[in-house]
Amino acid sequence: MRCQHCGHEVPEGSVFCNRCGYRMSKDMPCPHCGKQIPASSVFCPLCGKAVEQEVQNTPSTSSVTTPPASRPSQQGMTYNEQRAAARRQPANAWQQPEPVEPEDDDDDDNGGGRSHYDRNLIIGIVAAALIIGLLSLLRHCNSQENDRLANQADSVALIAEGSQDPMAVFNAELSRNNFTEDKAYTGCAVRLNSSDPNAPEHLIGVTYKDDTDRPFIKVYNLTRDGAQWKTELAQTKYFDGRNIVMDHSSLIADAMNVPRAVTVDGKQCLYFAFLNHLKGAGEGNNGRVTLCLFEPEGKKLTTLTYDGTIRSRSDGRQYVYCRGPLENTSSSERSFLRQEAASIGAIHVATQDEIDAEEEAKAKEEEEKALEGEENAGAKWDHDNAENMDKLKEGEEVKMKPTQYDKPIINMREIKDKLENDRYLVFLDTKGSVVGFNKNTRKYFTIYSGKNGSASGISFHSDNHVLIKTPSGSITYDLVHDKAKSSN
């Protein structure tokens, strides 16, 4: 036999080449049970233990070869004995003997588990070190943030303690108690004065927000306990779809009057007011002014709302024109608010004369609306010329009030008589009404309405003058100047 790897002649029946160690057979004995198994086995298919292959069947310049006899002889050897045996193994010029690693005591039991255990142990140690480092970093950052918040709180507390301005105290306490997350504006803050010298210092503040879908106001109770302030959210009121504006300028009010601390029914309260118009509303749209009274002891918020039309003053400032508050004012709180409303220029409560004038104008508007359209041309002429017809009966010449229409105002199938010249057409219908048509302007207009007595005939009295026969006499109508007078 010749070795397929180095060409050396080997004895018949050899399993390995006695020169290069190349495996001649495709089978190999299991190092544990001694049974013949495929040479490419990693684990013995009979005993299940790991097979340590020290000889590779694929030729390579980097492969390591070991004589067949060396394998069984290494079982039970010490590490130094294995190294000595490895140095005695023959090797070709381009191959290096594979270093022999010391065997683990557990290899006979769990095969290659030891190497996996060592690798997992190293990975676990590295991961634990990373986690510990990360936790330390987070703890350090959290400690710094806590220190920053503590310093900020101390700074805010100093501001609140040293300031006499209620707005400064209110803003500082909102920040210290994390009440600023809603990003609301500060509307007002007022200190309540008590006659009891032992009573704790008391302050009420209001915030508002109008750039959301649900605008709101919030009322806070602040009570001083020693060096600290106790801050409590007492009331929240929403105003869906409306803009909130809270300043004395928009209210057209004296800054000394709105807001302020007041006493109602012997109780200290905060009085304030604000606009809450519809979003995007301007002149002619709906607007509101809301007056508020907050009683801190019972956390009671009483409101009085004036709702009406937004109008503009000569100086450009707007106000709400209304007929009074929406709510009943029988309670003492609302009675107080109604009295205060008189000092707010953004509210105008209509007088009885103004109400009467409004009603009359509204009725007239509705009447005129009912007389619109070609179908109501005769009724409109009667309405507009009622006084003129009375004057005609007294023999006066009057200037009539005709209305021009683009479409016919007479039923052409009911024409009884017709006049025509170069400039005008004049029609008499079966109802006794007279209608003119201007050829130049292409407009129709009423000359006479049959409701004043049916006209029985028409004729040209002279150029552009029509003579109309009525039950009460004849009328001459000047088509050019729209003038009429009685004619006997």
Side-chain angles (χ1 to χ4, degrees):
M1 298 177 59
R2 286 188 177 274
C3 176
Q4 297 176 359
H5 182 245
C6 64
H8 180 71
E9 289 187 2
V10 295
E12 193 70 28
S14 297
V15 178
F16 295 92
C17 175
N18 59 1
R19 181 177 182 181
C20 68
Y22 186 81
R23 178 179 290 279
M24 305 297 293
S25 172
K26 294 184 179 181
D27 293 332
M28 61 176 284
C30 173
H32 302 287
C33 66
K35 302 294 183 179
Q36 290 294 319
I37 61 174
S40 60
S41 298
V42 178
F43 292 89
C44 178
L46 299 176
C47 68
K49 293 186 178 182
V51 178
E52 204 174 298
Q53 298 190 51
E54 297 181 3
V55 180
Q56 300 295 332
N57 286 337
T58 304
S60 171
T61 56
S62 60
S63 62
V64 179
T65 60
T66 305
S70 67
R71 180 68 187 179
S73 64
Q74 290 182 2
Q75 298 299 322
M77 289 185 180
T78 65
Y79 175 67
N80 291 331
E81 290 173 341
Q82 292 179 24
R83 294 196 55 161
R87 283 195 293 271
R88 291 194 296 270
Q89 303 302 327
N92 24 17
W94 61 85
Q95 290 178 324
Q96 298 295 329
E98 181 181 15
V100 180
E101 298 295 335
E103 293 186 359
D104 194 280
D105 293 339
D106 297 333
D107 282 352
D108 290 340
D109 297 327
N110 57 11
R114 182 68 182 179
S115 60
H116 294 290
Y117 172 78
D118 293 342
R119 182 184 62 187
N120 291 338
L121 179 62
I122 294 173
I123 293 175
I125 293 173
V126 173
L130 291 175
I131 292 174
I132 293 173
L134 180 60
L135 291 175
S136 300
L137 179 61
L138 290 175
R139 184 177 180 182
H140 176 70
C141 294
N142 189 47
S143 176
Q144 287 186 331
E145 179 65 13
N146 289 338
D147 292 342
R148 185 187 68 79
L149 292 176
N151 293 334
Q152 181 181 0
D154 293 341
S155 176
V156 169
L158 290 174
I159 293 174
E161 183 178 358
S163 176
Q164 296 300 314
D165 181 12
M167 289 288 280
V169 174
F170 182 43
N171 286 325
E173 289 302 311
L174 287 178
S175 177
R176 187 172 71 88
N177 290 277
N178 296 323
F179 282 127
T180 57
E181 294 180 355
D182 58 10
K183 301 186 184 303
Y185 306 109
T186 302
C188 64
V190 174
R191 182 178 280 106
L192 301 184
N193 299 318
S194 176
S195 58
D196 184 2
N198 297 322
E201 190 175 357
H202 199 168
L203 188 148
I204 303 176
V206 181
T207 64
Y208 68 98
K209 195 169 186 180
D210 67 343
D211 56 352
T212 61
D213 292 334
R214 298 203 69 192
F216 60 80
I217 63 167
K218 292 183 178 181
V219 184
Y220 293 87
N221 251 332
L222 282 77
T223 306
R224 189 160 186 170
D225 183 11
Q228 296 290 330
W229 285 90
K230 178 184 176 182
T231 304
E232 175 190 19
L233 174 59
Q235 278 281 353
T236 300
K237 188 173 180 64
Y238 292 94
F239 300 86
D240 294 349
R242 307 191 78 89
N243 278 325
I244 297 177
V245 181
M246 189 178 295
D247 64 81
H248 63 275
S249 176
S250 63
L251 292 169
I252 317 178
D254 189 346
M256 299 298 293
N257 293 329
V258 186
R260 73 178 192 275
V262 297
T263 301
V264 179
D265 290 342
K267 298 178 180 179
Q268 283 276 297
C269 302
L270 169 67
Y271 160 63
F272 63 99
F274 55 90
L275 304 180
N276 57 323
H277 298 335
L278 286 173
K279 283 186 177 293
E283 186 171 358
N285 297 109
N286 175 266
R288 287 180 178 177
V289 179
T290 299
L291 288 74
C292 302
L293 191 68
F294 177 72
E295 191 268 301
E297 183 176 344
K299 300 178 183 178
K300 181 181 178 182
L301 179 66
T302 303
T303 61
L304 190 65
T305 303
Y306 288 82
D307 181 281
T309 304
I310 299 175
R311 297 185 180 181
S312 295
R313 298 176 179 273
S314 57
D315 59 3
R317 293 188 294 178
Q318 294 182 335
Y319 65 97
V320 174
Y321 182 85
C322 58
R323 296 190 180 186
L326 297 178
E327 300 90 346
N328 187 292
T329 57
S330 58
S331 68
S332 57
E333 293 89 354
R334 285 182 175 154
S335 178
F336 167 82
L337 293 175
R338 184 165 189 170
Q339 293 176 2
E340 292 297 322
S343 63
I344 294 180
I347 301 174
H348 178 81
V349 179
T351 64
Q352 189 59 48
D353 290 341
E354 290 173 329
I355 293 174
D356 292 342
E358 284 182 350
E359 294 293 342
E360 184 179 350
K362 184 177 180 180
K364 185 177 180 180
E365 182 181 352
E366 291 177 353
E367 184 180 14
E368 290 179 352
K369 187 175 182 180
L371 297 175
E372 292 178 354
E374 294 81 2
E375 67 278 6
N376 298 313
K380 181 170 178 56
W381 190 90
D382 287 333
H383 175 270
D384 295 343
N385 294 283
E387 294 182 5
N388 291 333
M389 291 304 296
D390 292 338
K391 292 178 181 179
L392 276 175
K393 293 175 182 179
E394 296 175 1
E396 296 183 25
E397 183 180 39
V398 294
K399 174 75 173 177
M400 306 301 284
K401 299 177 181 178
T403 302
Q404 306 287 326
Y405 296 91
D406 294 325
K407 297 180 180 179
I409 57 176
I410 189 171
N411 190 339
M412 294 303 177
R413 291 176 294 182
E414 297 179 354
I415 299 299
K416 182 178 179 181
D417 198 0
K418 173 183 175 183
L419 302 176
E420 182 176 4
N421 62 14
D422 294 339
R423 191 170 180 180
Y424 294 98
L425 286 171
V426 180
F427 305 95
L428 172 64
D429 66 8
T430 56
K431 297 178 182 179
S433 297
V434 181
V435 174
F437 176 73
N438 190 321
K439 294 181 179 181
N440 295 329
T441 61
R442 312 296 296 176
K443 300 287 187 180
Y444 292 88
F445 57 96
T446 300
I447 297 174
Y448 178 82
S449 172
K451 292 182 180 180
N452 294 280
S454 298
S456 56
I458 56 174
S459 62
F460 277 122
H461 183 266
S462 62
D463 289 344
N464 301 321
H465 286 73
V466 177
L467 181 65
I468 306 169
K469 293 180 180 181
T470 69
S472 58
S474 298
I475 299 174
T476 303
Y477 192 94
D478 184 349
L479 297 172
V480 176
H481 302 96
D482 295 313
K483 292 182 178 180
K485 64 179 181 179
S486 296
S487 177
N488 298 321

